[in-house]
């Protein structure tokens, strides 16, 4: 494995202590049949960063996110997560995944388990935590996302916003090094969107490393330390919110922003 | 027409009665055609109920059942060996009571049903040596129910009551089979009556459920050879009539069993159980496969994203959701299995139905097959209905909601 290259787009306001890449992608390519979904993605995600990926639908934003825990295997290029190269030789894929939290657009809570068991299942089964330890952690996480009183409910009894907050708590229960959020508010009503976004903002402020695919541009401007603009399977432009929103360099970016803002 | 249609109410009648009369007038007697239809149907129903009722009370002679109840219940089970059966009866009633109380309650409708069934069946047990034991079994069920209802107020105790109930069922079923074998055992050819139906159904279910899980996994596996083998097995079993399977168990199964520990020389009853398990396993597998294919991909992805290995995701996520999806179909298979056990007579075993037929050969009871067949029918209907209600409760318990439906 070659040594980590210097950051191609250094964010000058970042302290040096946080300059460790959690995720490194070099020339990542993916095809679905003849459709070239990812066309040479290269980027690095650093500890403590909140990276927002945005772009038109069909630009493979979600696909890219899903390659980072190998829910979608990539076909060419290199992905290194927490120092482990993801390829078909990865023997301990489940260990890599345990360190990468994921929050889905449709929550994907386990319908047959209570909120408590949804959160404690993986810590108990994968991390071999005791039930007591896992339960206590679950309660703390639910307090953090603001719904401790729902611990004994089933997912079907919760609103969309509550379910997504449980899903965030479930992902956090594994103490992930990085949290992937795949359009976390796209399936929610406006009120629930506010609930969930405020939880994510709080996480971002607490220093959690996050990669978020979202269409909520106001939110992106507020929380993102860096934005990646995706179009047709490529990173067209990346930069801080000020650079992207106020001084976009690329015509494609300008066009997209003018359509949605 | 709608029941909301304005109708004058006769003074003096209670509101329920008035509502019933309004309903009847609006729904049953609203046009001349409907009035005629209603009267004709009432006449037919009335005649039917009258004929049946009169037969039930005056003509029917239940002595045939009373005199043969031992034959109907346990066949030619050797005298003096009944201790092998009673523990199962006691554990069964106690566990039914405990489970009923721990997950549900005996509502007015259930109570009515229990009363009717009791009134129909219990008079047949007046006199006879088993009476105190039957009373004990019923008392155990009632006490277990009362205990379960009492501990409901305390969440921790209720959890324990449920654990005891589930553990009890898991232990009782194999233990009651074991009781047939220990201390010299009973010649299995002497097993018969309802007891044979129950034993065959329980034992076959215990084999068919794990077999069905394995077959369903095999058929959805990514290994082509395994998938093919499981598919061939399932389609073969689903295509064979059960009677053919039983005939094979009777005549040919020994030739296919390995000659270790004398497995190839097992008794007919065991071979019949194996045949039922192999047969039902294929249907269980298909029900489960349906349940598994209905598990959304997102659930498996969420499990994978959390770091669960494939087997862990299967055990903790996919299978429980699949069982929940397949619960109605699985309950149907189990009821079907119990009903099919009456086919064991084709290989010469005397189950309850066969025992009932045998009674009509007795000189004292010539022409009494109506009574005895009706009794068998009631027993099977009650069992199947209980299983069906049980599966409803299981579905509710697995439904993943705290809301009442």
């Amino acid at each position: 494995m070659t040594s980590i290259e210097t950051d191609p787009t250094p964010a000058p306001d970042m302290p040096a202590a946080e300059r460790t890449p959690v995720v490194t992608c070099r020339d990542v390519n993916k095809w679905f049949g003849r459709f070239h979904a990812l066309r040479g993605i290269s980027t690095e995600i650093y500890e403590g960063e909140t990276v927002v990926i945005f772009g038109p639908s069909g630009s493979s934003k979600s696909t890219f996110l899903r390659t980072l825990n190998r829910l979608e295997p990539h076909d060419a290029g290199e992905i290194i997560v927490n120092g482990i190269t993801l390829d078909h030789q990865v023997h301990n894929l489940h260990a890599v995944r345990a360190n990468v939290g994921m929050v889905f657009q449709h929550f994907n809570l386990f319908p047959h388990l209570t909120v408590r068991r949804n959160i404690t299942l993986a810590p108990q089964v994968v991390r071999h935590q005791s039930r007591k330890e896992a339960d206590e952690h679950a309660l703390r996480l639910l307090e953090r996302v603001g719904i401790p009183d729902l611990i004994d409910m089933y997912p079907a009894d919760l609103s969309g916003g509550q379910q997504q907050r449980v899903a965030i708590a479930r992902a956090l229960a594994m103490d992930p090094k990085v949290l992937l959020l795949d359009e976390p508010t796209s399936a929610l009503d406006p009120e629930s969107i506010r609930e969930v976004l405020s939880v994510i903002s709080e996480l971002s402020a607490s220093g959690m490393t996050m990669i978020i695919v979202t269409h909520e541009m106001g939110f992106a401007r507020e929380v993102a330390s860096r934005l990646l603009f995706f179009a047709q399977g490529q990173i067209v432009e990346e930069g801080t919110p000020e650079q992207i929103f106020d001084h976009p360099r690329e015509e494609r970016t300008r066009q997209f922003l003018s359509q949605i803002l | 027409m709608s029941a909301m249609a304005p109708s004058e109410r006769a003074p003096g009648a209670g509101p329920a009665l008035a509502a019933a009369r309004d309903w009847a007038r609006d729904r049953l007697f609203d046009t001349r055609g409907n009035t005629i239809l209603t009267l004709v149907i009432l006449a037919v129903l009335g005649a039917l109920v009258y004929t049946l009722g009169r037969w039930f009370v005056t003509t029917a002679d239940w002595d045939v059942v009373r005199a043969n109840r031992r034959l109907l219940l346990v066949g030619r089970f050797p005298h003096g060996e009944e201790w092998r059966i009673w523990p199962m009866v006691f554990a069964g009633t106690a566990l039914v009571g405990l489970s009923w109380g721990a997950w549900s309650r005996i509502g007015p409708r259930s109570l009515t049903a229990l009363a009717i069934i009791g009134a129909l069946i219990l008079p047949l047990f007046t006199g006879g040596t088993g009476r105190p034991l039957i009373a004990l079994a019923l008392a155990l069920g009632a006490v277990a129910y009362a205990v379960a209802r009492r501990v409901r107020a305390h969440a921790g105790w209720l959890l324990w009551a449920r654990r005891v109930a589930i553990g009890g069922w898991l232990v009782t079923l194999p233990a009651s089979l074991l009781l047939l074998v220990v201390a010299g055992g009973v010649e299995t050819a002497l097993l018969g009556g309802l007891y044979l139906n129950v034993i065959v159904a329980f034992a076959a279910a215990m084999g068919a459920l794990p077999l069905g899980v394995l077959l369903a996994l095999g058929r959805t596996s990514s290994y082509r050879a395994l998938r093919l083998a499981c598919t061939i097995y399932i389609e073969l079993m689903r295509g064979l009539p059960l009677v053919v399977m039983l005939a094979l168990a009777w005549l040919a199964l020994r030739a296919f069993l390995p000659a270790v520990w004398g497995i190839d020389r097992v008794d007919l009853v065991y071979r019949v159980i194996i045949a039922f398990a192999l047969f039902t396993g294929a249907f269980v597998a298909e029900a489960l496969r349906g349940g598994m294919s209905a598990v959304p991909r997102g659930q498996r992805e969420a499990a994978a994203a959390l770091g669960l290995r494939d087997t862990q995701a299967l055990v903790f996520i996919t299978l429980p959701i699949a069982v929940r999806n397949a619960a109605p179909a699985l309950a149907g298979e189990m009821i079907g299995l119990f009903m099919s056990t009456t086919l064991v007579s084709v290989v010469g075993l005397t189950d309850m139905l066969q025992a009932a037929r045998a009674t009509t050969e007795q000189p004292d009871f010539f022409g009494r097959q109506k009574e005895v067949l009706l009794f068998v029918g009631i027993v099977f209907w009650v069992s199947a209905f209980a299983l069906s209600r049980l599966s409803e409760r299981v579905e509710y318990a697995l439904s993943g909601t705290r809301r009442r439906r």
Side-chain angles (χ1 to χ4, degrees):
Chain A
M1 203 168 77
T2 56
S3 64
I4 306 300
E5 302 295 324
T6 50
D7 183 9
T9 55
D13 53 329
M14 279 273 177
E18 292 180 349
R19 299 282 73 195
T20 333
V22 181
V23 176
T24 307
C25 298
R26 289 198 195 95
D27 198 25
V28 172
N29 281 275
K30 169 142 190 94
W31 286 266
F32 288 111
R34 293 171 66 187
F35 174 64
H36 198 170
L38 296 175
R39 301 165 178 249
I41 304 285
S42 294
T43 189
E44 288 178 337
I45 313 290
Y46 293 89
E47 212 173 302
E49 267 194 306
T50 299
V51 174
V52 167
I53 301 176
F54 72 106
S57 59
S59 59
S60 304
K61 309 179 294 285
S62 292
T63 303
F64 172 64
L65 206 63
R66 290 160 59 85
T67 59
L68 299 183
N69 62 356
R70 214 169 162 76
L71 282 182
E72 299 283 0
H74 58 287
D75 298 313
E78 194 177 25
I79 299 177
I80 303 166
V81 177
N82 296 323
I84 298 170
T85 307
L86 297 189
D87 55 26
H88 62 276
Q89 289 178 319
V90 175
H91 295 303
N92 50 350
L93 184 59
H94 57 274
V96 177
R97 284 174 172 166
N99 286 316
V100 180
M102 187 150 197
V103 174
F104 298 86
Q105 179 178 358
H106 295 288
F107 332 133
N108 295 357
L109 293 179
F110 306 129
H112 61 303
L113 300 178
T114 60
V115 166
R116 182 199 309 270
R117 286 289 287 154
N118 259 281
I119 299 173
T120 60
L121 179 72
Q124 285 188 264
V125 171
V126 179
R127 291 271 159 77
H128 305 293
Q129 285 181 14
S130 71
R131 176 181 279 267
K132 190 163 173 283
E133 194 182 354
D135 277 359
E136 283 167 1
H137 194 194
L139 188 60
R140 281 202 305 278
L141 289 168
L142 283 174
E143 276 162 3
R144 193 165 168 189
V145 299
I147 45 173
D149 44 332
L150 300 181
I151 192 159
D152 286 317
M153 303 290 271
Y154 282 96
D157 299 331
L158 307 184
S159 75
Q162 292 167 337
Q163 289 193 51
Q164 193 61 297
R165 287 190 279 170
V166 171
I168 292 171
R170 178 176 71 176
L172 292 177
M174 296 296 281
D175 295 319
K177 298 279 192 301
V178 54
L179 190 60
L180 313 175
L181 297 104
D182 186 4
E183 304 201 24
T185 58
S186 297
L188 298 175
D189 59 279
E191 195 187 344
S192 301
I193 289 176
R194 274 198 303 278
E195 291 170 13
V196 170
L197 290 185
S198 80
V199 167
I200 298 173
S201 301
E202 186 267 325
L203 277 177
S204 170
S206 74
M208 184 80 213
T209 312
M210 292 195 286
I211 309 175
I212 311 172
V213 172
T214 186
H215 296 287
E216 298 287 334
M217 297 320 292
F219 164 77
R221 180 169 201 143
E222 204 176 294
V223 302
S225 45
R226 187 150 57 100
L227 287 131
L228 305 181
F229 174 60
F230 260 60
Q232 288 168 337
Q234 288 176 303
I235 299 178
V236 172
E237 185 168 352
E238 68 176 289
T240 62
E242 293 72 33
Q243 287 167 348
I244 295 281
F245 287 113
D246 302 337
H247 314 287
R249 293 189 303 269
E250 300 290 328
E251 179 54 34
R252 190 80 185 74
T253 317
R254 237 169 279 156
Q255 218 177 4
F256 180 75
L257 287 173
S258 72
Q259 276 168 15
I260 60 163
L261 290 181
Chain B
M1 280 308 294
S2 156
M4 303 293 285
S7 309
E8 280 180 38
R9 289 191 178 165
L17 197 64
R21 204 182 38 232
D22 290 351
W23 177 85
R25 188 162 55 196
D26 294 342
R27 304 282 179 102
L28 303 179
F29 299 102
D30 55 336
T31 65
R32 182 171 303 183
N34 274 358
T35 305
I36 293 170
L37 208 58
T38 303
L39 290 177
V40 168
I41 290 172
L42 279 181
V44 170
L45 276 179
L48 209 64
V49 169
Y50 174 74
T51 317
L52 267 178
R54 201 184 54 173
W55 175 82
F56 214 88
V57 177
T58 61
T59 320
D61 180 359
W62 299 97
D63 278 347
V64 60
V65 176
R66 200 173 286 130
N68 287 297
R69 63 180 182 235
R70 185 184 164 92
L71 182 66
L72 289 170
L73 291 181
V74 296
R76 291 181 293 136
F77 201 82
H79 287 269
E81 298 283 345
E82 289 88 350
W83 59 271
R84 297 177 190 274
I85 300 178
W86 282 109
M88 182 179 98
V89 176
F90 294 147
T93 53
L95 285 170
V96 165
L98 186 65
S99 311
W100 205 332
W103 275 280
S104 181
R105 64 187 200 88
I106 301 181
R109 269 188 301 174
S110 309
L111 201 62
T112 316
L114 281 179
I116 292 174
I117 294 163
L120 283 177
I121 292 179
L122 284 182
L124 301 172
F125 290 90
T126 49
T129 49
R131 200 169 39 167
L133 292 171
I134 289 169
L136 177 60
L138 293 177
L140 275 173
V143 168
Y145 175 77
V147 167
R149 292 300 300 175
R150 282 300 284 277
V151 304
R152 277 185 84 90
H154 195 295
W157 292 356
L158 178 63
L159 194 66
W160 272 106
R162 290 180 172 183
R163 281 183 188 154
V164 168
I166 291 174
W169 283 114
L170 290 180
V171 171
T172 300
L173 300 184
S176 50
L177 294 180
L178 206 62
L179 275 177
L180 283 177
V181 196
V182 294
V186 170
E187 205 185 321
T188 57
L190 296 178
L191 297 183
L194 180 62
Y195 183 63
L196 179 68
N197 295 104
V198 171
I199 285 284
V200 168
F202 273 167
M206 285 193 301
L209 290 172
L211 177 67
V213 171
L214 293 179
L215 285 170
L217 293 180
R219 196 168 183 180
T220 52
S221 149
S222 50
Y223 295 104
R224 206 187 156 127
L226 183 61
R227 202 167 59 224
L228 187 69
C230 290
T231 306
I232 290 174
Y233 176 87
I234 290 169
E235 295 305 335
L236 198 66
M237 282 296 160
R238 294 213 302 165
L240 273 180
L242 180 53
V243 174
V244 173
M245 275 301 289
L246 291 174
L248 284 174
W250 188 22
L251 301 168
L253 188 59
R254 280 181 172 180
F256 297 115
L257 292 173
V260 287
W261 305 317
I263 287 179
D264 58 328
R265 282 176 279 110
V266 294
D267 294 343
L268 179 58
V269 168
Y270 296 121
R271 281 180 277 147
V272 162
I273 289 172
I274 292 172
F276 270 106
L278 294 177
F279 185 80
T280 309
F283 289 86
V284 168
E286 283 301 275
L288 273 178
R289 189 169 67 101
M292 282 167 71
S293 67
V295 177
R297 200 176 60 152
Q299 318 290 351
R300 288 193 297 267
E301 283 184 352
L306 284 166
L308 269 70
R309 295 161 192 261
D310 287 351
T311 46
Q312 291 170 335
L314 193 68
V315 169
F316 293 108
I317 307 299
T318 312
L319 272 182
I321 302 177
V323 168
R324 188 179 89 168
N325 291 341
L330 286 176
E333 294 302 339
M334 292 305 114
I335 291 170
L337 169 63
F338 183 55
M339 294 298 174
S340 317
T341 58
T342 51
L343 281 175
V344 296
S345 61
V346 301
V347 295
L349 296 174
T350 312
D351 76 311
M352 191 185 205
L353 184 59
Q354 188 60 21
R357 288 201 194 110
T359 60
T360 59
E361 319 262 312
Q362 297 164 346
D364 289 351
F365 302 114
F366 273 140
R368 287 290 164 211
Q369 62 267 58
K370 283 199 240 26
E371 286 85 346
V372 75
L373 285 177
L374 192 65
F375 175 73
V376 172
I378 289 173
V379 168
F380 271 89
W381 185 84
V382 167
S383 314
F385 186 68
L387 276 175
S388 144
R389 295 308 300 266
L390 172 71
S391 82
E392 273 178 33
R393 289 303 308 175
V394 172
E395 274 170 60
Y396 174 73
L398 293 174
S399 68
T401 175
R402 291 280 191 228
R403 289 189 191 141
R404 286 234 152 251
R405 296 192 178 161

